[in-house]
Amino acid sequence: MASEAEAPLISRRDDGLEDESHTDAEDEAVEWPAGRPGLFIWLLTLSAGISGLLFGYDTGVISATLVSIGTSLSGRALTSLDKSVITSCTALLALAASPVSSVLADRVGRKPVILLSDVLFVGGALAQALSATVGGMVAGRAVVGAAVGAASFVTPLYIAELAPPAHRGRLVTMNVLSITAGQVVAYVAGWAFAEHADPAAGWRWMVGLGALPAALQCALLLRMPETPRWLVRAGRSADARLVIERTLAPDSAPAPRRRRVVDAVVKDIEREIREEQGRAPPGAAPAWLRGWRELLGVPKNRRALTIACLLQGLQQLCGFNSLMYFSATIFTMLGFSIPTLTSLTVAATNFAFTVLALLLIDRIGRRRILLYSVPFMVAGLLLAAFGFSYVKLPSTGTDSSAPGGASSPQGAAVIILVSIMIYVAAYALGLGNVPWMQSELFPLNVRSLGSGAATATNWLANFIIGLTFLPLEQMEWLTPTVTFALYGAVCAAGWFAIWRIYPETAGLTLEEATCLLENGWGVK
């Protein structure tokens, strides 16, 4: 099915807006005007992308916070369990919020869900900054988790439903770029507060600053529109036409052609909504229940959900966010004198290669960039496992994250740092952004629900990794060498699954991408 702003080739209909100058070719089809996205689209993407900045800042700031809290919470040093719970509770609430936000996004709109997440971001940031106990910190992190869960689902959907088709991949990747920028900002703030502020208060400023971007986004989004698809579904086709008109660059095409494109897009949405409503007989089950039945019962939808959940789960089970959450803890353990600054090099690598992905994602394609990058992730993880084999950790039960808690030759520490940077660079090129293209896989009638379910898979895997990484890595369950080798094995298995079932969707309309999954996985 074609989307309102996502189909580069839209069947022409008798819209009553034709101009006498149109050609016979235009009688058969109306092409989306070529050219770069206009200023309005960039402003809209940047405004929505603040959610990604908040997501990334939250991911990065907890790394520096965990090594800066000291005895500020509950009057004692944090244990490995405290750190794991503080970190993983965010993912747990994000897991709960994702499917709920998918229902809200259909009922009240995409933009109100983003605004709701901003309110939660502000409340969670302030709760963390003012917390005096471990329980209070967990509660603040949980509120932030609910915000992250809603924003991580709805922001890529919001951008995808408004983006011109030729630039959809690039604009959705802009949200991922915002995430990596947020991580860089968090590590810079962590280093600055750790080195130049009172340790007892510095970490509170770190977590509290997360309220500022959320407040800024609230102010900006109040002036941004709702997506055309939701507007048409709400019976506001006239408003949808105005929004689509604004997404076309002013100099992209003559006015008559622009009007034909706008009207054809709106008619496409209206037709699909009528088809969706026509499938529901009188007295049928509630809409949300019908949605789940269609998502799980229709083979092509089930295949789309399988692929989306595979990619989102692999994005977390490969271990990347554990490095973001606990990188300062790892580098402290390895003996680096300024672990927060060392962590910044990892975040900067992530940002730089996400910029590269931004330039390549629509040229190389989603499937190819994953098949090219995941082997380098495997290589980086195995090299890190090799480096950790030379690190001597203290006996189980001691705090190996304390300075001097582990004995590591300088060469081994450098090998681990380089290997992590290789791994992060490869991740940023592929797995860091491709899973968020998930809306391309689903038809309109189950897009919100399917994307929400896939995002919930992401957060379920994030919760598992966040809760288990430190016990695994600190020899309470496994050694660091086995832990990183295990992540490498997960990536290798994921590469094989991608090769088998993930088709190439770059350059295709949503309708064409859905047709790929009609009678199989569409890989060949």
Side-chain angles (χ1 to χ4, degrees):
M1 298 179 181
S3 164
E4 62 276 19
E6 299 182 68
L9 188 63
I10 303 164
S11 297
R12 178 187 171 273
R13 292 169 174 79
D14 185 13
D15 51 27
L17 293 175
E18 277 74 20
D19 184 84
E20 291 182 357
S21 62
H22 73 267
T23 66
D24 292 338
E26 289 174 317
D27 283 336
E28 299 176 358
V30 176
E31 293 185 13
W32 193 280
R36 296 182 178 180
L39 177 62
F40 171 72
I41 278 291
W42 284 114
L43 289 175
L44 184 148
T45 302
L46 291 173
S47 299
I50 294 177
S51 293
L53 184 74
L54 289 163
F55 182 4
Y57 185 84
D58 171 77
T59 304
V61 79
I62 196 61
S63 174
T65 301
L66 291 176
V67 297
S68 303
I69 286 177
T71 58
S72 299
L73 296 178
S74 300
R76 58 176 175 79
L78 297 179
T79 65
S80 291
L81 180 60
D82 290 334
K83 294 178 180 180
S84 295
V85 171
I86 288 172
T87 303
S88 60
C89 69
T90 304
L92 182 62
L93 266 293
L95 167 63
S98 295
V100 173
S101 62
S102 70
V103 175
L104 287 176
D106 274 341
R107 290 196 174 185
V108 302
R110 282 55 164 140
K111 189 174 82 167
V113 175
I114 300 178
L115 293 174
L116 175 61
S117 71
D118 286 331
V119 174
L120 294 175
F121 270 122
V122 172
L126 296 179
Q128 290 178 85
L130 298 174
S131 59
T133 64
V134 172
M137 186 68 172
V138 169
R141 294 284 298 167
V143 174
V144 169
V148 168
S152 63
F153 150 73
V154 76
T155 303
L157 178 62
Y158 181 78
I159 295 172
E161 289 191 342
L162 282 155
H167 305 284
R168 187 173 61 241
R170 183 183 306 175
L171 293 175
V172 173
T173 303
M174 281 290 296
N175 184 59
V176 182
L177 184 65
S178 298
I179 294 174
T180 62
Q183 291 169 344
V184 172
V185 171
Y187 283 122
V188 170
W191 168 75
F193 282 114
E195 297 299 316
H196 305 290
D198 177 10
W203 69 269
R204 297 185 184 277
W205 283 103
M206 279 187 251
V207 295
L209 284 176
L212 296 181
L216 173 63
Q217 187 178 47
C218 272
L220 292 175
L221 274 182
L222 288 175
R223 302 181 64 85
M224 292 292 107
E226 185 53 80
T227 69
R229 176 193 184 269
W230 190 87
L231 289 171
V232 173
R233 194 171 188 177
R236 297 165 57 186
S237 296
D239 292 337
R241 284 183 170 88
L242 294 176
V243 175
I244 298 168
E245 176 71 24
R246 293 178 71 187
T247 63
L248 298 171
D251 57 351
S252 60
R257 182 185 173 196
R258 289 160 57 90
R259 288 198 300 271
R260 287 195 297 274
V261 170
V262 170
D263 202 62
V265 171
V266 172
K267 285 180 178 293
D268 240 7
I269 305 167
E270 291 172 339
R271 174 182 58 80
E272 294 180 16
I273 291 174
R274 284 195 300 270
E275 291 177 355
E276 178 184 344
Q277 293 172 341
R279 286 192 293 267
W288 65 269
L289 183 57
R290 294 199 308 270
W292 275 108
R293 286 176 178 173
E294 189 154 354
L295 180 63
L296 300 175
V298 177
K300 67 175 182 180
N301 295 343
R302 197 164 55 239
R303 295 186 190 105
L305 182 64
T306 300
I307 294 170
C309 290
L310 163 71
L311 295 180
Q312 290 285 15
L314 183 60
Q315 187 186 76
Q316 295 301 324
L317 294 176
C318 71
F320 174 79
N321 269 350
S322 359
L323 294 178
M324 291 296 102
Y325 291 145
F326 301 119
S327 59
T329 300
I330 294 172
F331 294 134
T332 298
M333 181 183 70
L334 292 174
F336 286 94
S337 58
I338 308 179
T340 52
L341 191 58
T342 308
S343 298
L344 178 59
T345 63
V346 176
T349 301
N350 189 23
F351 180 82
F353 279 83
T354 302
V355 173
L356 184 58
L358 183 74
L359 302 176
L360 297 177
I361 188 67
D362 285 321
R363 297 182 182 181
I364 295 179
R366 286 70 154 138
R367 171 182 166 85
R368 295 184 189 91
I369 207 166
L370 285 177
L371 293 178
Y372 296 160
S373 62
V374 172
F376 286 93
M377 293 175 62
V378 176
L381 288 166
L382 294 181
L383 185 60
F386 172 76
F388 268 111
S389 67
Y390 290 94
V391 177
K392 183 179 180 182
L393 295 177
S395 59
T396 303
T398 60
D399 186 6
S400 61
S401 66
S407 174
S408 57
Q410 184 176 5
V414 172
I415 287 174
I416 293 169
L417 176 60
V418 171
S419 65
I420 288 176
M421 292 176 70
I422 293 172
Y423 164 79
V424 168
Y427 174 91
L429 281 174
L431 269 181
N433 59 80
V434 172
W436 299 112
M437 312 292 172
Q438 59 196 9
S439 61
E440 297 178 334
L441 299 168
F442 297 100
L444 288 176
N445 59 317
V446 294
R447 187 190 306 160
S448 179
L449 193 61
S451 298
T455 304
T457 303
N458 181 297
W459 288 110
L460 175 61
N462 188 307
F463 171 70
I464 294 170
I465 291 296
L467 190 63
T468 60
F469 180 75
L470 278 184
L472 281 172
E473 184 265 340
Q474 291 186 356
M475 273 185 67
E476 294 176 24
W477 295 343
L478 299 175
T479 66
T481 297
V482 175
T483 300
F484 280 87
L486 180 62
Y487 288 148
V490 169
C491 290
W495 182 93
F496 179 75
I498 291 166
W499 176 73
R500 289 285 295 175
I501 69 172
Y502 183 41
E504 184 56 73
T505 59
L508 299 179
T509 67
L510 196 62
E511 184 177 45
E512 291 167 338
T514 302
C515 288
L516 284 176
L517 303 175
E518 191 76 51
N519 297 304
W521 298 103
V523 171
K524 296 183 180 180

